[in-house]
C-alpha cells in the first residue's frame, strides 16, 4: 500500500475528527498541506501589546493584554431570583486603552481563579458595545505565563513573535497555532514548485524554509523572507496556468481574416463624419494584426464609457465580413442588443442594406436575434445566418441555442465580459467550422495587474482617450442625514435641468416588490456598515411614488427595473429616449449601454450600497450630449465612515482606472480564477494584486519562458503538482472555457 504523501494526509487523522470537522466547515481546510498554507494574518510582538484603542466593532479579534482588575458581582435574575446570579467583570489594558470582559453564570469560576490582576493572556472574542463601552462577552483566553510551570505555553509561542491566524468563533487563533505546530514538521516534505534557476536567480528561500519561517518566525526578517517566497509561488503558478492556456490557444487553427482593399471597411471609413482618435487607430491596428494570423485572436478591449469601443469593434466585424466570414456581437441584455443593433445600422447607413434595393455595392445584412422575437421574424433571421446572407449578427444569449447555425463564423465580439458566463462564450465559439477570433469588450476599467491575472489569457488593448464632444460631469456627495437641506436642493437641481429641456435618472438599489419576508429583512439590516440607519435599501417603486407626489410633482416620472416584461421595458426606454419622460427612476439596469444624450442629471440614492466601479459606470450615462452632466451621490452614512470616503473618491475623479484601484483595494481580489468576484473567497493568500504589481509582471515573463521551453512541464514535477492543486476541477473547467 502506498503511503499518503505527508502534505496530503487528511487532518482528521492528525488532529482528531472534532477539530478537523471545524477546520473543514469553517475554514475550508482538509489536509495537512491546506493547514500549512493557512498563514498568520499578523504577528504580536512579546512585550508590545495590541492597541485596544483600535478595536473594530462586530469583528472577531485576538488581543494580548494584562488584567488590571477583576470584580465578581451577584445579582437577582429570573434564573437566580435570590440574588445568586454571578457576573465577573474583568478590565484588561495594554497601555493604549482598556477593555471590559464579562463572564456570567457557571462560566465565572475558572476565569475568577485565573484572571488575577497582573496576569497576561491572549483573549479572543467578538467586540460588542454595552452601556456605550466596548466589551468582550465570554472571551476565550490563553494565559501567557513567564514561569517554569508555564514554560510549555511560552515555548509553543516560540520566539518573540506570536502568529495570529484568521480564526472563527469556533476555533481561536491559538488553537490553530497549536494545530499548525503539530503538522509543521511535515513542511520539510513540501515539493518546491519553483524551478531552481528561478529561485536561486531571485534569491528566494526554499518552500519548506518559507513555511517554517511564516509559522515560527524568530525575527521580522524571517517573515519578510517567507512572504517574499510565498508571493512568488502564488504569482508564478497562476501565471504558468495562464501561459499554458495562451500556448494551447496558439496551437489551435483559425482562418486568417484580412480586409479586402476597397471593400466594405474602406466604404465604411469613407462615410465616417469624423476622424478616429489616435487610440482608436492604434487599437484597430492591434486587432487587425491578430485577425490576420492563423490562430484565434483572444483580445480584451478596455475603454471608458464613451471612448468609442463599439466603433472599433464594428470596424473589426466589417474586416471579417470583407474576408468572406460572419461576425457576431453578443450583448448581456435585450435592451442593449437592440441598442447596439440600432447604432450599428445608423453608423453603416446603406452599407447595412445588403440584398435590398438601394443597398450599397459592398453592403451586407445586419440581423438582430433575441429571445422575445416573433416566430416569423426569428425564422427569417435564422435563415440569413445559415445562408451567410447576414454578415453581421447582433443578439443576446439566444444566439447560443442549438438551432442557431452560421455559414462561416469568423469573429465573436462579447460586450461587457463580467455579465457573460464562460460556458456561453464557449458554446458560441463551437459554432465556427474552426475556432473563431474573439474580442471581449468591457467598460469597467481594470488595473493592469488584474488584467494580467483575471484576464491573463487575453492580450489587452486600452482606449483611454475620450472622443471630442463629450461633456464634463460634475459629481457631488449629498449627505442626506447630516444636511437634509442638501437633498431638497438636489431635487431642485433636477427640476432646473428638466425646465432647461433636459432629463434625469434617479437610481435606487432595490426594486421594492420583493416579498416582505422578515428573515430577508433581518439579513438586509445586518450589514455592519448600516449601523447608521437600520433599514433596507431604498426601492424604485417607493421612491418613484414619493417623488411624483412630492419634490418632483408635475413632472413626468416613470420606472424601469429588471423584473418588468421585455416589451414594457422597451416601451419605457423608447419614451425616455424620445424625451416624453422627464425623470426615469430605475435600478442598475441602466448601468450598461443606455444612451440618451439629452439626459444630463443623475441622482443615486443610497449610493454607499454600490461598488466604486458601478457608481462610475452609472455616472457615465449622463453628459453624453453637448450639455454638461451632473451626478449626485446621496448617502446617509456618517462623514467619518469608509463608505463616505469611497463616495468622496468617486466624486473627486473621473479616472476609471484610478477608481478601479480603489475599488479593488476595498473589495480585496476575489477568487482570481473562480467566478467569485468579491473578496471573501480568494485563491491568493499573500499576493495582493495591486501592491505586488511588479512580482506579477515578472512572474508572467518567467512563466511564458518556462512554458515556451517545456509546455508539458515534464522537467518540473513540483510545478505540475502545484498546478494540479491550484486548478481543482471547478477552476480547471473555468480556465478551459476562458
Amino acid at each position: 500500500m502506498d503511503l499518503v504523501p505527508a502534505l496530503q494526509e487528511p487532518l482528521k487523522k492528525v488532529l482528531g475528527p472534532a477539530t478537523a470537522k471545524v477546520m473543514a466547515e469553517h475554514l475550508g481546510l482538509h489536509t495537512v498541506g491546506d493547514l500549512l498554507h493557512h498563514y498568520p494574518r499578523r504577528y504580536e510582538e512579546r512585550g508590545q501589546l495590541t492597541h485596544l484603542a483600535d478595536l473594530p466593532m462586530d469583528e472577531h479579534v485576538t488581543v494580548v493584554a494584562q488584567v488590571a482588575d477583576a470584580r465578581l458581582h451577584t445579582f437577582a435574575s429570573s434564573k437566580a431570583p435570590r440574588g445568586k446570579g454571578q457576573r465577573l467583570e474583568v478590565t484588561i489594558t495594554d497601555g493604549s486603552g482598556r477593555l471590559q470582559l464579562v463572564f456570567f453564570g457557571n462560566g465565572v469560576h475558572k476565569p475568577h481563579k485565573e484572571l488575577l490582576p497582573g496576569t497576561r493572556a491572549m483573549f479572543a472574542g467578538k467586540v460588542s458595545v454595552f452601556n456605550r463601552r466596548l466589551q468582550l462577552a465570554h472571551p476565550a483566553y490563553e494565559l501567557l505565563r513567564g514561569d517554569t510551570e508555564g514554560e510549555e505555553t511560552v515555548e509553543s509561542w516560540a520566539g518573540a513573535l506570536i502568529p495570529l491566524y484568521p480564526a472563527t468563533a469556533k476555533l481561536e487563533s491559538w488553537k490553530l497555532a497549536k494545530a499548525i505546530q503539530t503538522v509543521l514538521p511535515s513542511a520539510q516534505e513540501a515539493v518546491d514548485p519553483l524551478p531552481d534557476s528561478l529561485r536561486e536567480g531571485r534569491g528566494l528561500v526554499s518552500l519548506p524554509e518559507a513555511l517554517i519561517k511564516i509559522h515560527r518566525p524568530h525575527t521580522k526578517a524571517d517573515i519578510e523572507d517567507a512572504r517574499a517566497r510565498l508571493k512568488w509561488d502564488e504569482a508564478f503558478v497562476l501565471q504558468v496556468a495562464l501561459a499554458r492556456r495562451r500556448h494551447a490557444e496558439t496551437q489551435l487553427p483559425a482562418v486568417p481574416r484580412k480586409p479586402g482593399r476597397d471593400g466594405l471597411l474602406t466604404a465604411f471609413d469613407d462615410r465616417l463624419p469624423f476622424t478616429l482618435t489616435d487610440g482608436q487607430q492604434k487599437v484597430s491596428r492591434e486587432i487587425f494584426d491578430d485577425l490576420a494570423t492563423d490562430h484565434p485572436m483572444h483580445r480584451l478591449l478596455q475603454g471608458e464609457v464613451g471612448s468609442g469601443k463599439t466603433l472599433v469593434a464594428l470596424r473589426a466585424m466589417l474586416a471579417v465580413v470583407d474576408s468572406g466570414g460572419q461576425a457576431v456581437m453578443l450583448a448581456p441584455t435585450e435592451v442593449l442588443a437592440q441598442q447596439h443593433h440600432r447604432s450599428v445600422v445608423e453608423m453603416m447607413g446603406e452599407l447595412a442594406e445588403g440584398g435590398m434595393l438601394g443597398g450599397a455595392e459592398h453592403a451586407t445584412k445586419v440581423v438582430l436575434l433575441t429571445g422575445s422575437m416573433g416566430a416569423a421574424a426569428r425564422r427569417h433571421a435564422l435563415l440569413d445566418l445559415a445562408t451567410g446572407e447576414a454578415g453581421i449578427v447582433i443578439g443576446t444569449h439566444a444566439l447560443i441555442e442549438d438551432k442557431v447555425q452560421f455559414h462561416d463564423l469568423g469573429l465573436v465580439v462579447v460586450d461587457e465580459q463580467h455579465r457573460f458566463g464562460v460556458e456561453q462564450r464557449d458554446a458560441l465559439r463551437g459554432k465556427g467550422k474552426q475556432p473563431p477570433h474573439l474580442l471581449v469588450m468591457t467598460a469597467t476599467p481594470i488595473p493592469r495587474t488584474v488584467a494580467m491575472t483575471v484576464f491573463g489569457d487575453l492580450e489587452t488593448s486600452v482606449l483611454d482617450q475620450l472622443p471630442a464632444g463629450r461633456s464634463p460631469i460634475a459629481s457631488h456627495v449629498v449627505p442626506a442625514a447630516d444636511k437634509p437641506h442638501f437633498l431638497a436642493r438636489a431635487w431642485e437641481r433636477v427640476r432646473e435641468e428638466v425646465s432647461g429641456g433636459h432629463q434625469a435618472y434617479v437610481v435606487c438599489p432595490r426594486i421594492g416588490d420583493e416579498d416582505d419576508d422578515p428573515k430577508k429583512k433581518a439579513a438586509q439590516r445586518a450589514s455592519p456598515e448600516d449601523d447608521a440607519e437600520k433599514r433596507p435599501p431604498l426601492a424604485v417603486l417607493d421612491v418613484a411614488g414619493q417623488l411624483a407626489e412630492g419634490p418632483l410633482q408635475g413632472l413626468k416620472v416613470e420606472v424601469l427595473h429588471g423584473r418588468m416584461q421585455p416589451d414594457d421595458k422597451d416601451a419605457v426606454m423608447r419614451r425616455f429616449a424620445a424625451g416624453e419622460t422627464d425623470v426615469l427612476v430605475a435600478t442598475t439596469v441602466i448601468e450598461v449601454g443606455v444612451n440618451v444624450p439629452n439626459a444630463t442629471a443623475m441622482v443615486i440614492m443610497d449610493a454607499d450600497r454600490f461598488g466604486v466601479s458601478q457608481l462610475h459606470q452609472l455616472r457615465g450615462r449622463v453628459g453624453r450630449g453637448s450639455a454638461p452632466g451632473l451626478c449626485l451621490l446621496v448617502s446617509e452614512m456618517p462623514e467619518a465612515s469608509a463608505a463616505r470616503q469611497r463616495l468622496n473618491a468617486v466624486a473627486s475623479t473621473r479616472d476609471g482606472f484610478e477608481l478601479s484601484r480603489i475599488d479593488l483595494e476595498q473589495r480585496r481580489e476575489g477568487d482570481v480564477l473562480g467566478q467569485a468576484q468579491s473578496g471573501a473567497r480568494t485563491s491568493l493568500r499573500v499576493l495582493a494584486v495591486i501592491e505586488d504589481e511588479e512580482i506579477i509582471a515578472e512572474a508572467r515573463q518567467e512563466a511564458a519562458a518556462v512554458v515556451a521551453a517545456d509546455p508539458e512541464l515534464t522537467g518540473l514535477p513540483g510545478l505540475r503538482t502545484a498546478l494540479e492543486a491550484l486548478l481543482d476541477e471547478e477552476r480547471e473547467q473555468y480556465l478551459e472555457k476562458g
Side-chain angles (χ1 to χ4, degrees), residues 196-219:
D196 293 346
S197 55
L198 188 160
R199 196 164 56 74
E200 286 154 15
R202 296 189 176 271
L204 300 169
V205 301
S206 71
L207 180 57
E209 190 181 336
L211 289 172
I212 289 166
K213 281 185 166 173
I214 200 145
H215 291 299
R216 290 190 78 160
H218 291 286
T219 62

Side-chain angles (χ1 to χ4, degrees), residues 313-577:
L314 177 56
R315 292 185 74 238
M317 292 165 86
L318 296 173
V320 169
V321 175
D322 256 353
S323 74
Q326 290 169 293
V328 54
M329 181 186 268
L330 267 178
T333 64
E334 294 211 356
V335 170
L336 202 51
Q338 287 160 342
Q339 197 147 0
H340 276 317
H341 182 254
R342 271 200 299 275
S343 63
V344 164
V345 169
E346 269 167 33
M347 281 196 268
M348 287 176 65
E350 72 229 26
L351 296 175
E353 294 168 4
M356 298 186 220
L357 273 174
E361 179 195 349
H362 298 291
T364 186
K365 224 178 201 184
V366 180
V367 168
L368 175 70
L369 186 67
T370 65
S372 63
M373 282 169 78
R378 190 179 171 76
R379 241 191 342 268
H380 209 88
L382 288 173
L383 190 65
D384 285 342
L385 265 64
T387 58
E389 186 83 8
I392 291 178
V393 186
I394 295 169
T396 56
H397 304 57
L399 280 169
I400 298 162
E401 291 171 14
D402 290 344
K403 289 196 215 61
V404 179
Q405 297 297 324
F406 291 88
H407 176 64
D408 179 15
L409 181 59
L411 170 67
V412 176
V413 179
V414 178
D415 188 22
E416 284 308 320
Q417 150 70 19
H418 63 291
R419 291 160 174 264
F420 202 77
V422 171
E423 289 79 9
Q424 293 135 331
R425 220 161 75 182
D426 201 39
L428 194 62
R429 202 187 276 176
K431 291 196 178 286
K433 294 188 176 71
Q434 286 188 322
H437 298 280
L438 175 69
L439 180 65
V440 171
M441 300 197 295
T442 176
T444 308
I446 304 164
R448 175 171 158 256
T449 40
V450 181
M452 282 194 289
T453 44
V454 180
F455 299 106
D457 61 317
L458 301 172
E459 301 300 327
T460 306
S461 297
V462 178
L463 278 174
D464 45 14
Q465 285 172 289
L466 286 185
R470 286 298 298 246
S471 304
I473 303 175
S475 304
H476 304 285
V477 178
V478 178
D482 314 349
K483 299 179 176 163
H485 59 286
F486 276 37
L487 183 58
R489 174 72 188 118
W491 301 126
E492 280 172 24
R493 282 293 289 113
V494 169
R495 293 193 85 98
E496 285 162 17
E497 290 296 313
V498 172
S499 61
H502 298 297
Q503 292 158 281
Y505 298 100
V506 176
V507 182
C508 304
R510 205 163 56 95
I511 297 174
D513 60 356
E514 297 86 348
D515 305 335
D516 283 340
D517 177 350
K519 278 189 193 157
K520 269 193 195 162
K521 287 196 164 173
Q524 276 165 338
R525 285 204 297 267
S527 119
E529 284 260 12
D530 214 32
D531 275 344
E533 260 298 287
K534 299 235 176 191
R535 61 163 175 75
L538 291 170
V540 166
L541 300 175
D542 304 340
V543 169
Q546 290 159 8
L547 291 176
E549 290 166 19
L552 302 185
Q553 201 170 12
L555 301 187
K556 181 94 171 63
V557 177
E558 287 212 67
V559 300
L560 180 70
H561 59 74
R563 272 202 222 115
M564 290 163 64
Q565 292 300 318
D567 293 352
D568 296 344
K569 273 195 254 187
D570 289 343
V572 169
M573 244 1 269
R574 267 201 301 278
R575 287 195 291 275
F576 190 64

